Amino acid sequence: MAIRAVVWDVDDTLFDYTTADRAGMRAHLAAEGLLDGYGSAERALARWREITEVQWARFAAGEVDFATQRRDRTRVFLGRDLTDAEADGWFERYLAHYEAAWALFPDVLPVLDALATSHRHAVLSNSSVTVQDRKLRVLGLHDRFEIILCAAEIGISKPAAGAFLAACDALGLAPHEVAYVGDHPEIDGRGAADAGLLSVWIDRGGPRATAVPPAGPRRIASLAELPALLGPDTRFGAPSTFG
């Protein structure tokens, strides 16, 4: 059966989160007078990303709420016992620098234009609707999607099959009628494949790139390859940059 809808991850799939996070944190640390305290900007940025992944995993597992993971990221990074208000204030100042660096990947608008009339579109993110709704509005993409689902609201995080099936249910489609596009080979790629969707891993050559992709997802290097994968004769695979 033909693919009728595409469900999208947001960060590092549509939105260049990694670049914005690094640029924002670098500017924030400089403004706070903290850049020299970590030996180098790259070391500080690596530490921030490491802490972010650990605290996000706690949120995804349901151990803490969204606000708490943000506060704990700040406390661990600074190594200080901050009040909630102090942690929130520090994080809000970081957000101002981070948001100033927001940008889409250059292949996003062309592929959304190409698929605008042939497929329905939705978002499934391991974030919160509050965060992603605003982000998509600022980036000019909000009206491209009929549904925006996030882990904080549905109570299920990728790679659990229930998260992907919730998106299918919201669209009123069976999993085999839906493609999922995301940047993480396991959380997005294997998770969507295990849930029965046509899984597409967009590998932009970042830190998660691997020589051998996990079983299940199709691996592409650019979203320009996506329309071919969604054609009527490509359900079980199509040529891509990676063969």
Side-chain angles (χ1 to χ4, degrees), residues 167-187:
C168 295
D169 288 345
L171 288 164
L173 297 174
H176 62 265
E177 296 178 289
V178 179
Y180 188 82
V181 183
D183 72 289
H184 198 293
E186 296 292 335
I187 293 174

Side-chain angles (χ1 to χ4, degrees), residues 6 8 13-14 105-119 121 141 144-145 181 202 204 220 222-228 230:
V6 182
W8 300 84
T13 297
L14 302 172
F105 287 106
D107 55 2
V108 171
L109 291 179
V111 77
L112 288 176
D113 287 342
L115 300 174
T117 59
S118 60
H119 294 78
H121 297 271
L141 294 184
R144 302 269 189 161
F145 307 105
V181 183
I202 173 68
R204 300 185 183 278
I220 62 176
S222 167
L223 293 179
E225 298 176 62
L226 183 61
L230 302 181

Side-chain angles (χ1 to χ4, degrees), residues 81-166:
D81 187 16
L82 303 175
T83 66
D84 286 353
E86 289 170 334
D88 289 344
W90 194 92
F91 200 92
E92 289 296 327
R93 295 193 297 277
Y94 152 70
L95 284 180
H97 295 287
Y98 161 62
E99 292 180 7
W102 282 3
L104 297 172
F105 287 106
D107 55 2
V108 171
L109 291 179
V111 77
L112 288 176
D113 287 342
L115 300 174
T117 59
S118 60
H119 294 78
R120 298 166 64 193
H121 297 271
V123 160
L124 173 64
S125 167
N126 269 2
S127 184
S128 74
V129 170
T130 299
V131 171
Q132 300 297 39
D133 186 273
R134 180 174 180 276
K135 184 183 296 174
L136 293 170
R137 290 183 188 280
V138 171
L139 293 170
L141 294 184
H142 187 272
D143 292 344
R144 302 269 189 161
F145 307 105
E146 59 182 271
I147 296 164
I148 299 173
L149 294 179
C150 292
E153 286 72 29
I154 64 176
I156 311 172
S157 298
K158 302 175 295 181
F164 298 98
L165 296 179

Side-chain angles (χ1 to χ4, degrees), residues 54-65 126 151 155-159:
V54 169
Q55 297 302 326
W56 192 264
R58 294 177 63 219
F59 166 68
E63 297 174 11
V64 296
D65 61 21
N126 269 2
I156 311 172
S157 298
K158 302 175 295 181

